[in-house]
Amino acid sequence: MDPHVKSDSSVLSELHSDFDALGRRPTKKQRYSDSMQTPEERKEREEILERARAAENIRKRKTEEEEAQIGADEAERARFSGVFDAMKQNAFKHVHEFVTSLFKSTNQATSAQAGRLLSDHGEEIFNVMAAINPEVATKWAHRWMLEVYTAEAKKLWKLFRPGEGGKVQLIERFSLEALMKKMEATAP
């Protein structure tokens, strides 16, 4: 027999394989149904599925939060960019220059707005600055209080300075109650 000539059985076998490849549906695998599981297996399977769903929900929430944060960051950047651009268009080269001009303004309306800003939100603004850089805020507070205490000490020094009658007259006029009232009025 010629090796190049195919036998009938080999031709039939090729036709069957071609038919399978061209469209015969593969048989379905038999599924492992719930009815074949024990209650313990079913419960374990449900717990595994529930944990997988919970993990997927957490992952989705985290992704959504990250996307929201990115969106918020972009929105914040755009808002500040717009403010900085407006400041530059109005001849303020730096934020410092704008803030300093705001608080030194001689315009009555602008000065009133700056005063309301400090009255209503000054403590909050200072607390935010202190949270960002506590050392600088502490230095500012100490420097400010030193000025206040120095001014009050000068007023008290003038109050206690002996007048024309000298020290003797000061001692003769001494009244602790009157002295406390004067001190409170002079250096609250």
Side-chain angles (χ1 to χ4, degrees):
M1 184 164 195
D2 185 13
H4 298 291
V5 177
K6 296 182 181 177
S7 70
D8 289 341
S9 62
S10 70
V11 171
L12 277 175
S13 145
E14 281 182 23
L15 284 174
H16 284 292
S17 67
D18 288 345
F19 180 78
D20 286 345
L22 290 174
R24 193 170 101 191
R25 291 185 177 182
T27 57
K28 288 186 176 180
K29 281 187 178 178
Q30 185 172 359
R31 295 180 124 185
Y32 185 70
S33 71
D34 291 342
S35 62
M36 298 174 147
Q37 295 176 340
T38 64
E40 293 83 21
E41 290 174 326
R42 205 170 313 142
K43 184 178 178 183
E44 182 181 346
R45 182 172 171 239
E46 288 172 5
E47 288 172 356
I48 291 170
L49 288 173
E50 187 62 33
R51 284 193 303 263
R53 283 188 205 108
E56 180 63 21
N57 287 339
I58 290 170
R59 187 193 62 76
K60 282 182 182 177
R61 246 183 280 128
K62 186 176 179 182
T63 302
E64 289 169 359
E65 289 171 1
E66 288 171 352
E67 289 172 354
Q69 182 61 42
I70 290 170
D73 290 346
E74 285 294 316
E76 181 181 63
R77 186 196 60 73
R79 277 195 316 269
F80 283 122
S81 179
V83 169
F84 295 146
D85 290 344
M87 284 189 330
K88 287 177 183 173
Q89 289 172 359
N90 288 291
F92 296 109
K93 294 179 184 175
H94 304 284
V95 175
H96 166 266
E97 187 179 349
F98 169 76
V99 173
T100 303
S101 297
L102 174 67
F103 290 115
K104 288 183 175 182
S105 176
T106 55
N107 177 285
Q108 189 175 3
T110 304
S111 181
Q113 287 179 329
R116 276 195 305 276
L117 172 67
L118 288 178
S119 297
D120 297 345
H121 305 289
E123 185 177 348
E124 180 184 351
I125 292 168
F126 184 78
N127 289 338
V128 169
M129 290 187 299
I132 293 170
N133 197 336
E135 292 174 12
V136 170
T138 302
K139 285 180 186 177
W140 292 347
H142 285 283
R143 191 174 333 143
W144 175 253
M145 291 312 299
L146 181 63
E147 290 176 18
V148 170
Y149 292 150
T150 302
E152 287 184 357
K154 286 180 181 178
K155 290 177 185 177
L156 289 173
W157 180 76
K158 288 179 183 178
L159 179 68
F160 290 122
R161 188 169 183 211
E164 293 176 15
K167 295 178 185 176
V168 174
Q169 190 180 18
L170 180 66
I171 292 172
E172 287 175 356
R173 293 184 298 145
F174 183 78
S175 163
L176 187 58
E177 187 176 328
L179 179 66
M180 292 303 292
K181 285 181 182 177
K182 282 184 181 180
M183 286 176 57
E184 184 65 33
T186 304

